[in-house]
Short mmCIF file of all heavy atoms in Angstrom, two decimals:
data_model
loop_
_atom_site.label_atom_id
_atom_site.label_comp_id
_atom_site.label_asym_id
_atom_site.label_seq_id
_atom_site.Cartn_x
_atom_site.Cartn_y
_atom_site.Cartn_z
N GLU O 369 124.27 201.15 125.49
CA GLU O 369 123.51 201.51 124.30
C GLU O 369 122.24 200.67 124.32
O GLU O 369 122.30 199.44 124.40
CB GLU O 369 124.32 201.22 123.04
CG GLU O 369 123.59 201.49 121.75
CD GLU O 369 124.37 201.06 120.53
OE1 GLU O 369 125.54 200.64 120.70
OE2 GLU O 369 123.81 201.12 119.41
N VAL O 370 121.09 201.31 124.27
CA VAL O 370 119.81 200.60 124.36
C VAL O 370 119.00 200.88 123.10
O VAL O 370 118.91 202.03 122.66
CB VAL O 370 119.01 201.05 125.60
CG1 VAL O 370 117.70 200.27 125.68
CG2 VAL O 370 119.82 200.85 126.88
N PHE O 371 118.46 199.85 122.53
CA PHE O 371 117.54 200.06 121.40
C PHE O 371 116.44 199.01 121.48
O PHE O 371 116.64 197.88 121.95
CB PHE O 371 118.25 200.01 120.05
CG PHE O 371 119.08 198.78 119.81
CD1 PHE O 371 118.55 197.66 119.19
CD2 PHE O 371 120.42 198.74 120.21
CE1 PHE O 371 119.32 196.54 118.97
CE2 PHE O 371 121.19 197.62 120.00
CZ PHE O 371 120.65 196.51 119.38
N GLY O 372 115.26 199.40 121.07
CA GLY O 372 114.10 198.52 121.15
C GLY O 372 113.59 198.14 119.77
O GLY O 372 113.91 198.76 118.77
N ARG O 373 112.78 197.12 119.76
CA ARG O 373 112.19 196.65 118.50
C ARG O 373 110.92 195.87 118.82
O ARG O 373 110.77 195.31 119.90
CB ARG O 373 113.16 195.74 117.75
CG ARG O 373 113.53 194.49 118.56
CD ARG O 373 114.43 193.56 117.81
NE ARG O 373 114.78 192.41 118.64
CZ ARG O 373 114.05 191.32 118.77
NH1 ARG O 373 112.90 191.22 118.11
NH2 ARG O 373 114.44 190.31 119.55
N GLN O 374 110.01 195.89 117.86
CA GLN O 374 108.86 195.01 117.97
C GLN O 374 109.27 193.62 117.50
O GLN O 374 110.09 193.47 116.60
CB GLN O 374 107.71 195.52 117.09
CG GLN O 374 106.92 196.65 117.71
CD GLN O 374 105.73 197.02 116.84
OE1 GLN O 374 105.75 196.79 115.64
NE2 GLN O 374 104.72 197.61 117.45
N LYS O 375 108.69 192.61 118.10
CA LYS O 375 108.97 191.26 117.64
C LYS O 375 108.38 191.07 116.24
O LYS O 375 107.38 191.69 115.87
CB LYS O 375 108.39 190.23 118.61
CG LYS O 375 109.14 190.19 119.94
CD LYS O 375 108.74 188.99 120.77
CE LYS O 375 109.63 188.87 122.01
NZ LYS O 375 109.26 187.72 122.85
N GLN O 376 109.01 190.20 115.47
CA GLN O 376 108.59 189.97 114.10
C GLN O 376 107.25 189.23 114.05
O GLN O 376 106.93 188.44 114.94
CB GLN O 376 109.64 189.16 113.36
CG GLN O 376 110.97 189.89 113.16
CD GLN O 376 110.79 191.13 112.30
OE1 GLN O 376 110.13 191.11 111.27
NE2 GLN O 376 111.39 192.23 112.74
N PRO O 377 106.47 189.49 112.99
CA PRO O 377 105.15 188.83 112.88
C PRO O 377 105.22 187.31 112.99
O PRO O 377 104.39 186.70 113.65
CB PRO O 377 104.66 189.27 111.49
CG PRO O 377 105.32 190.59 111.27
CD PRO O 377 106.67 190.48 111.91
N TYR O 378 106.22 186.69 112.35
CA TYR O 378 106.29 185.22 112.39
C TYR O 378 106.58 184.74 113.81
O TYR O 378 106.01 183.75 114.27
CB TYR O 378 107.37 184.71 111.45
CG TYR O 378 107.47 183.20 111.44
CD1 TYR O 378 106.57 182.43 110.72
CD2 TYR O 378 108.46 182.54 112.17
CE1 TYR O 378 106.63 181.04 110.72
CE2 TYR O 378 108.54 181.15 112.18
CZ TYR O 378 107.62 180.41 111.45
OH TYR O 378 107.69 179.04 111.48
N SER O 379 107.46 185.46 114.53
CA SER O 379 107.78 185.09 115.90
C SER O 379 106.55 185.19 116.79
O SER O 379 106.31 184.32 117.64
CB SER O 379 108.88 186.01 116.43
OG SER O 379 109.14 185.75 117.80
N ILE O 380 105.74 186.22 116.58
CA ILE O 380 104.51 186.39 117.36
C ILE O 380 103.52 185.28 117.04
O ILE O 380 102.92 184.67 117.93
CB ILE O 380 103.90 187.78 117.08
CG1 ILE O 380 104.83 188.88 117.62
CG2 ILE O 380 102.51 187.89 117.68
CD1 ILE O 380 104.39 190.28 117.26
N TRP O 381 103.36 185.00 115.74
CA TRP O 381 102.41 183.97 115.32
C TRP O 381 102.80 182.60 115.87
O TRP O 381 101.95 181.84 116.34
CB TRP O 381 102.35 183.95 113.79
CG TRP O 381 101.44 182.89 113.24
CD1 TRP O 381 100.08 182.96 113.13
CD2 TRP O 381 101.82 181.62 112.74
NE1 TRP O 381 99.59 181.79 112.58
CE2 TRP O 381 100.63 180.95 112.32
CE3 TRP O 381 103.04 180.96 112.58
CZ2 TRP O 381 100.64 179.68 111.77
CZ3 TRP O 381 103.05 179.69 112.03
CH2 TRP O 381 101.86 179.06 111.63
N ARG O 382 104.10 182.30 115.83
CA ARG O 382 104.57 181.01 116.32
C ARG O 382 104.30 180.88 117.82
O ARG O 382 103.94 179.80 118.31
CB ARG O 382 106.05 180.82 116.02
CG ARG O 382 106.56 179.43 116.33
CD ARG O 382 107.92 179.20 115.75
NE ARG O 382 108.89 180.15 116.27
CZ ARG O 382 110.18 180.17 115.90
NH1 ARG O 382 110.62 179.30 115.01
NH2 ARG O 382 111.01 181.05 116.41
N LYS O 383 104.48 181.97 118.56
CA LYS O 383 104.22 181.93 120.00
C LYS O 383 102.73 181.76 120.27
O LYS O 383 102.33 181.03 121.19
CB LYS O 383 104.72 183.22 120.67
CG LYS O 383 104.60 183.18 122.18
CD LYS O 383 105.31 184.34 122.83
CE LYS O 383 105.26 184.23 124.36
NZ LYS O 383 105.95 185.34 125.02
N MET O 384 101.90 182.39 119.46
CA MET O 384 100.45 182.22 119.60
C MET O 384 100.05 180.77 119.37
O MET O 384 99.21 180.22 120.08
CB MET O 384 99.71 183.15 118.62
CG MET O 384 99.82 184.63 118.95
SD MET O 384 99.27 185.69 117.57
CE MET O 384 97.57 185.18 117.39
N GLN O 385 100.68 180.13 118.36
CA GLN O 385 100.38 178.73 118.06
C GLN O 385 100.89 177.80 119.16
O GLN O 385 100.20 176.88 119.58
CB GLN O 385 101.02 178.34 116.72
CG GLN O 385 100.52 179.13 115.52
CD GLN O 385 99.04 178.91 115.26
OE1 GLN O 385 98.58 177.78 115.19
NE2 GLN O 385 98.30 180.00 115.13
N ARG O 386 102.14 178.06 119.61
CA ARG O 386 102.77 177.18 120.60
C ARG O 386 102.06 177.24 121.94
O ARG O 386 101.83 176.21 122.59
CB ARG O 386 104.24 177.57 120.75
CG ARG O 386 105.02 176.65 121.69
CD ARG O 386 106.43 177.17 121.88
NE ARG O 386 106.45 178.45 122.56
CZ ARG O 386 107.15 179.51 122.16
NH1 ARG O 386 107.89 179.45 121.07
NH2 ARG O 386 107.11 180.64 122.84
N ASP O 387 101.72 178.46 122.38
CA ASP O 387 101.12 178.63 123.71
C ASP O 387 99.60 178.67 123.67
O ASP O 387 98.96 178.81 124.72
CB ASP O 387 101.64 179.93 124.34
CG ASP O 387 103.15 179.90 124.55
OD1 ASP O 387 103.72 178.79 124.54
OD2 ASP O 387 103.76 180.98 124.68
N ASN O 388 99.03 178.56 122.46
CA ASN O 388 97.57 178.56 122.30
C ASN O 388 96.94 179.79 122.94
O ASN O 388 96.01 179.70 123.74
CB ASN O 388 96.97 177.27 122.87
CG ASN O 388 95.54 177.05 122.42
OD1 ASN O 388 95.14 177.53 121.36
ND2 ASN O 388 94.75 176.35 123.24
N VAL O 389 97.47 180.96 122.58
CA VAL O 389 96.95 182.22 123.12
C VAL O 389 96.59 183.14 121.97
O VAL O 389 97.06 182.97 120.84
CB VAL O 389 97.98 182.91 124.03
CG1 VAL O 389 98.28 182.06 125.25
CG2 VAL O 389 99.27 183.22 123.27
N SER O 390 95.73 184.10 122.24
CA SER O 390 95.36 185.09 121.24
C SER O 390 96.36 186.24 121.26
O SER O 390 97.17 186.36 122.19
CB SER O 390 93.96 185.63 121.51
OG SER O 390 93.96 186.34 122.75
N PHE O 391 96.27 187.11 120.26
CA PHE O 391 97.19 188.25 120.19
C PHE O 391 97.02 189.14 121.42
O PHE O 391 98.00 189.66 121.97
CB PHE O 391 96.93 189.05 118.91
CG PHE O 391 97.88 190.20 118.71
CD1 PHE O 391 99.07 190.01 118.03
CD2 PHE O 391 97.59 191.46 119.21
CE1 PHE O 391 99.96 191.07 117.84
CE2 PHE O 391 98.47 192.52 119.04
CZ PHE O 391 99.66 192.32 118.35
N GLU O 392 95.76 189.30 121.86
CA GLU O 392 95.50 190.17 123.01
C GLU O 392 96.14 189.64 124.28
O GLU O 392 96.43 190.43 125.20
CB GLU O 392 93.98 190.31 123.21
CG GLU O 392 93.28 191.15 122.15
CD GLU O 392 93.14 190.41 120.82
OE1 GLU O 392 93.26 189.16 120.84
OE2 GLU O 392 92.93 191.07 119.80
N GLN O 393 96.36 188.33 124.35
CA GLN O 393 96.95 187.75 125.57
C GLN O 393 98.46 187.87 125.60
O GLN O 393 99.08 187.59 126.63
CB GLN O 393 96.54 186.27 125.67
CG GLN O 393 95.07 186.05 125.94
CD GLN O 393 94.69 184.59 125.88
OE1 GLN O 393 94.68 183.97 124.82
NE2 GLN O 393 94.37 184.02 127.04
N LEU O 394 99.07 188.25 124.47
CA LEU O 394 100.52 188.44 124.44
C LEU O 394 100.85 189.77 125.10
O LEU O 394 100.26 190.80 124.79
CB LEU O 394 101.03 188.44 123.00
CG LEU O 394 100.87 187.13 122.22
CD1 LEU O 394 101.31 187.32 120.78
CD2 LEU O 394 101.70 186.03 122.87
N SER O 395 101.81 189.72 126.00
CA SER O 395 102.14 190.96 126.73
C SER O 395 103.59 191.38 126.55
O SER O 395 104.02 192.36 127.15
CB SER O 395 101.85 190.77 128.22
OG SER O 395 102.50 189.62 128.70
N ASP O 396 104.34 190.66 125.73
CA ASP O 396 105.75 191.05 125.55
C ASP O 396 106.10 191.08 124.05
O ASP O 396 106.98 190.39 123.59
CB ASP O 396 106.69 190.10 126.30
CG ASP O 396 106.45 188.64 125.93
OD1 ASP O 396 105.44 188.35 125.29
OD2 ASP O 396 107.31 187.80 126.28
N VAL O 397 105.34 191.89 123.31
CA VAL O 397 105.60 192.01 121.88
C VAL O 397 106.76 192.97 121.60
O VAL O 397 107.20 193.11 120.47
CB VAL O 397 104.34 192.48 121.11
CG1 VAL O 397 103.24 191.45 121.21
CG2 VAL O 397 103.86 193.83 121.62
N MET O 398 107.24 193.65 122.66
CA MET O 398 108.40 194.53 122.52
C MET O 398 109.61 193.91 123.21
O MET O 398 109.49 193.31 124.27
CB MET O 398 108.13 195.91 123.12
CG MET O 398 107.25 196.80 122.28
SD MET O 398 107.26 198.51 122.88
CE MET O 398 106.66 198.30 124.53
N ALA O 399 110.77 194.06 122.57
CA ALA O 399 112.01 193.56 123.15
C ALA O 399 113.06 194.66 123.08
O ALA O 399 113.10 195.45 122.12
CB ALA O 399 112.49 192.32 122.41
N PHE O 400 113.91 194.73 124.10
CA PHE O 400 114.95 195.77 124.15
C PHE O 400 116.31 195.11 124.36
O PHE O 400 116.43 194.16 125.14
CB PHE O 400 114.66 196.76 125.28
CG PHE O 400 113.43 197.58 125.04
CD1 PHE O 400 112.18 197.07 125.38
CD2 PHE O 400 113.51 198.83 124.47
CE1 PHE O 400 111.03 197.81 125.15
CE2 PHE O 400 112.37 199.58 124.23
CZ PHE O 400 111.12 199.07 124.57
N ARG O 401 117.30 195.61 123.66
CA ARG O 401 118.66 195.10 123.80
C ARG O 401 119.52 196.17 124.47
O ARG O 401 119.49 197.34 124.10
CB ARG O 401 119.24 194.74 122.44
CG ARG O 401 118.57 193.48 121.87
CD ARG O 401 119.27 192.98 120.63
NE ARG O 401 118.60 191.77 120.14
CZ ARG O 401 118.23 191.58 118.88
NH1 ARG O 401 118.48 192.52 117.98
NH2 ARG O 401 117.63 190.47 118.52
N VAL O 402 120.27 195.70 125.46
CA VAL O 402 121.18 196.57 126.20
C VAL O 402 122.60 196.12 125.90
O VAL O 402 122.98 194.99 126.22
CB VAL O 402 120.90 196.49 127.72
CG1 VAL O 402 121.90 197.35 128.48
CG2 VAL O 402 119.46 196.92 128.01
N ILE O 403 123.38 196.99 125.26
CA ILE O 403 124.74 196.65 124.86
C ILE O 403 125.72 197.38 125.79
O ILE O 403 125.68 198.62 125.89
CB ILE O 403 125.03 197.06 123.40
CG1 ILE O 403 123.90 196.56 122.47
CG2 ILE O 403 126.38 196.53 122.95
CD1 ILE O 403 123.72 195.07 122.46
N VAL O 404 126.56 196.61 126.49
CA VAL O 404 127.51 197.19 127.44
C VAL O 404 128.94 196.80 127.06
O VAL O 404 129.16 196.07 126.10
CB VAL O 404 127.19 196.72 128.88
CG1 VAL O 404 125.83 197.24 129.32
CG2 VAL O 404 127.21 195.20 128.97
N ASP O 405 129.91 197.28 127.84
CA ASP O 405 131.31 197.12 127.46
C ASP O 405 131.87 195.73 127.73
O ASP O 405 132.68 195.22 126.95
CB ASP O 405 132.17 198.16 128.19
CG ASP O 405 131.89 199.58 127.70
OD1 ASP O 405 131.49 199.71 126.53
OD2 ASP O 405 132.06 200.52 128.48
N ASP O 406 131.50 195.12 128.86
CA ASP O 406 132.12 193.85 129.20
C ASP O 406 131.14 192.96 129.95
O ASP O 406 130.02 193.36 130.28
CB ASP O 406 133.39 194.07 130.04
CG ASP O 406 133.14 194.96 131.25
OD1 ASP O 406 132.10 194.77 131.92
OD2 ASP O 406 133.98 195.83 131.53
N GLU O 407 131.59 191.74 130.24
CA GLU O 407 130.72 190.75 130.87
C GLU O 407 130.31 191.17 132.27
O GLU O 407 129.17 190.96 132.69
CB GLU O 407 131.46 189.40 130.91
CG GLU O 407 130.62 188.23 131.35
CD GLU O 407 131.37 186.91 131.26
OE1 GLU O 407 131.85 186.57 130.16
OE2 GLU O 407 131.50 186.24 132.31
N ASP O 408 131.24 191.79 133.00
CA ASP O 408 130.93 192.25 134.35
C ASP O 408 129.77 193.25 134.33
O ASP O 408 128.88 193.21 135.17
CB ASP O 408 132.17 192.87 134.99
CG ASP O 408 131.88 193.40 136.38
OD1 ASP O 408 131.62 192.57 137.28
OD2 ASP O 408 131.91 194.63 136.57
N ALA O 409 129.79 194.13 133.33
CA ALA O 409 128.72 195.13 133.20
C ALA O 409 127.38 194.47 132.91
O ALA O 409 126.32 195.00 133.28
CB ALA O 409 129.07 196.13 132.11
N CYS O 410 127.40 193.31 132.22
CA CYS O 410 126.14 192.59 131.95
C CYS O 410 125.44 192.21 133.25
O CYS O 410 124.23 192.44 133.42
CB CYS O 410 126.42 191.33 131.13
SG CYS O 410 126.96 191.61 129.43
N TYR O 411 126.22 191.63 134.18
CA TYR O 411 125.62 191.18 135.44
C TYR O 411 125.23 192.36 136.33
O TYR O 411 124.23 192.29 137.06
CB TYR O 411 126.57 190.23 136.15
CG TYR O 411 126.67 188.87 135.48
CD1 TYR O 411 127.76 188.54 134.69
CD2 TYR O 411 125.64 187.95 135.61
CE1 TYR O 411 127.84 187.30 134.06
CE2 TYR O 411 125.71 186.70 135.00
CZ TYR O 411 126.81 186.38 134.21
OH TYR O 411 126.88 185.16 133.58
N ARG O 412 126.01 193.44 136.26
CA ARG O 412 125.62 194.62 137.05
C ARG O 412 124.34 195.22 136.48
O ARG O 412 123.45 195.66 137.21
CB ARG O 412 126.74 195.65 137.05
CG ARG O 412 127.92 195.23 137.92
CD ARG O 412 128.92 196.35 138.13
NE ARG O 412 129.66 196.65 136.91
CZ ARG O 412 129.66 197.82 136.29
NH1 ARG O 412 128.93 198.82 136.79
NH2 ARG O 412 130.37 198.01 135.20
N ALA O 413 124.22 195.20 135.15
CA ALA O 413 123.04 195.78 134.50
C ALA O 413 121.78 194.98 134.84
O ALA O 413 120.71 195.56 135.08
CB ALA O 413 123.24 195.82 132.99
N ILE O 414 121.89 193.65 134.87
CA ILE O 414 120.71 192.84 135.18
C ILE O 414 120.25 193.11 136.61
O ILE O 414 119.05 193.13 136.91
CB ILE O 414 120.97 191.34 134.95
CG1 ILE O 414 119.65 190.56 134.85
CG2 ILE O 414 121.80 190.72 136.06
CD1 ILE O 414 118.88 190.79 133.59
N GLY O 415 121.21 193.35 137.50
CA GLY O 415 120.85 193.68 138.88
C GLY O 415 120.12 195.01 138.96
O GLY O 415 119.14 195.14 139.71
N VAL O 416 120.57 195.98 138.18
CA VAL O 416 119.92 197.29 138.16
C VAL O 416 118.49 197.17 137.62
O VAL O 416 117.54 197.74 138.17
CB VAL O 416 120.74 198.29 137.32
CG1 VAL O 416 119.95 199.59 137.13
CG2 VAL O 416 122.08 198.57 137.97
N VAL O 417 118.34 196.41 136.51
CA VAL O 417 117.02 196.26 135.89
C VAL O 417 116.05 195.58 136.86
O VAL O 417 114.91 196.03 137.04
CB VAL O 417 117.13 195.43 134.58
CG1 VAL O 417 115.75 195.02 134.08
CG2 VAL O 417 117.87 196.24 133.52
N HIS O 418 116.50 194.51 137.53
CA HIS O 418 115.63 193.82 138.46
C HIS O 418 115.35 194.65 139.70
O HIS O 418 114.32 194.45 140.37
CB HIS O 418 116.25 192.48 138.85
CG HIS O 418 116.13 191.43 137.79
ND1 HIS O 418 116.75 190.20 137.87
CD2 HIS O 418 115.46 191.43 136.61
CE1 HIS O 418 116.47 189.49 136.79
NE2 HIS O 418 115.69 190.22 136.02
N GLY O 419 116.28 195.54 140.02
CA GLY O 419 116.04 196.41 141.17
C GLY O 419 115.06 197.51 140.86
O GLY O 419 114.34 197.99 141.75
N ALA O 420 115.00 197.92 139.59
CA ALA O 420 114.11 199.03 139.22
C ALA O 420 112.71 198.56 138.87
O ALA O 420 111.74 199.29 139.10
CB ALA O 420 114.72 199.79 138.03
N TRP O 421 112.60 197.36 138.29
CA TRP O 421 111.28 196.87 137.84
C TRP O 421 111.08 195.42 138.30
O TRP O 421 112.04 194.67 138.44
CB TRP O 421 111.15 196.95 136.31
CG TRP O 421 111.27 198.37 135.82
CD1 TRP O 421 110.34 199.37 135.92
CD2 TRP O 421 112.40 198.96 135.16
NE1 TRP O 421 110.80 200.53 135.37
CE2 TRP O 421 112.07 200.32 134.88
CE3 TRP O 421 113.66 198.49 134.77
CZ2 TRP O 421 112.95 201.18 134.24
CZ3 TRP O 421 114.53 199.35 134.12
CH2 TRP O 421 114.18 200.67 133.88
N ARG O 422 109.84 195.06 138.48
CA ARG O 422 109.52 193.72 138.97
C ARG O 422 109.80 192.68 137.88
O ARG O 422 109.29 192.79 136.75
CB ARG O 422 108.06 193.65 139.40
CG ARG O 422 107.68 192.30 140.04
CD ARG O 422 106.19 192.27 140.36
NE ARG O 422 105.86 193.32 141.32
CZ ARG O 422 105.96 193.18 142.63
NH1 ARG O 422 106.42 192.04 143.15
NH2 ARG O 422 105.63 194.16 143.44
N ALA O 423 110.60 191.66 138.21
CA ALA O 423 110.91 190.60 137.24
C ALA O 423 109.77 189.59 137.16
O ALA O 423 109.14 189.27 138.17
CB ALA O 423 112.20 189.88 137.64
N VAL O 424 109.51 189.11 135.98
CA VAL O 424 108.50 188.07 135.77
C VAL O 424 109.13 186.73 136.15
O VAL O 424 110.16 186.34 135.59
CB VAL O 424 108.02 188.04 134.31
CG1 VAL O 424 107.02 186.89 134.09
CG2 VAL O 424 107.38 189.39 133.94
N PRO O 425 108.56 185.99 137.09
CA PRO O 425 109.16 184.72 137.54
C PRO O 425 109.34 183.73 136.38
O PRO O 425 108.48 183.60 135.51
CB PRO O 425 108.14 184.19 138.56
CG PRO O 425 107.39 185.40 139.01
CD PRO O 425 107.32 186.32 137.84
N GLY O 426 110.47 183.04 136.43
CA GLY O 426 110.73 181.99 135.45
C GLY O 426 111.18 182.48 134.09
O GLY O 426 111.33 181.68 133.17
N ARG O 427 111.42 183.79 133.95
CA ARG O 427 111.75 184.32 132.63
C ARG O 427 113.21 184.78 132.53
O ARG O 427 113.61 185.37 131.54
CB ARG O 427 110.83 185.49 132.29
CG ARG O 427 109.37 185.12 132.18
CD ARG O 427 109.09 184.40 130.89
NE ARG O 427 109.29 185.27 129.74
CZ ARG O 427 109.20 184.90 128.47
NH1 ARG O 427 108.94 183.63 128.20
NH2 ARG O 427 109.37 185.76 127.50
N PHE O 428 114.02 184.52 133.58
CA PHE O 428 115.43 184.92 133.52
C PHE O 428 116.26 183.75 132.99
O PHE O 428 116.15 182.61 133.48
CB PHE O 428 115.93 185.32 134.90
CG PHE O 428 117.42 185.55 134.95
CD1 PHE O 428 118.00 186.59 134.25
CD2 PHE O 428 118.25 184.69 135.67
CE1 PHE O 428 119.37 186.79 134.28
CE2 PHE O 428 119.62 184.88 135.69
CZ PHE O 428 120.19 185.94 135.00
N LYS O 429 117.10 184.03 131.99
CA LYS O 429 117.97 183.00 131.40
C LYS O 429 119.38 183.55 131.27
O LYS O 429 119.57 184.65 130.73
CB LYS O 429 117.45 182.56 130.03
CG LYS O 429 116.07 181.91 130.08
CD LYS O 429 115.57 181.57 128.69
CE LYS O 429 114.17 180.95 128.76
NZ LYS O 429 113.63 180.68 127.40
#
Side-chain angles (χ1 to χ4, degrees):
E369 177 186 355
V370 181
F371 54 92
R373 60 177 178 85
Q374 280 185 335
K375 290 191 173 180
Q376 293 297 315
Y378 181 79
S379 175
I380 293 173
W381 178 80
R382 188 168 59 181
K383 185 170 184 179
M384 290 167 61
Q385 299 297 309
R386 184 185 65 228
D387 298 341
N388 195 26
V389 296
S390 65
F391 184 89
E392 289 74 19
Q393 291 174 290
L394 295 175
S395 53
D396 54 348
V397 295
M398 284 192 301
F400 293 84
R401 289 189 179 130
V402 177
I403 311 300
V404 296
D405 292 332
D406 52 43
E407 189 175 302
D408 179 67
C410 291
Y411 287 103
R412 287 190 290 120
I414 197 73
V416 172
V417 168
H418 284 172
W421 299 286
R422 185 184 298 274
V424 177
R427 297 284 294 175
F428 172 66
K429 297 177 182 177

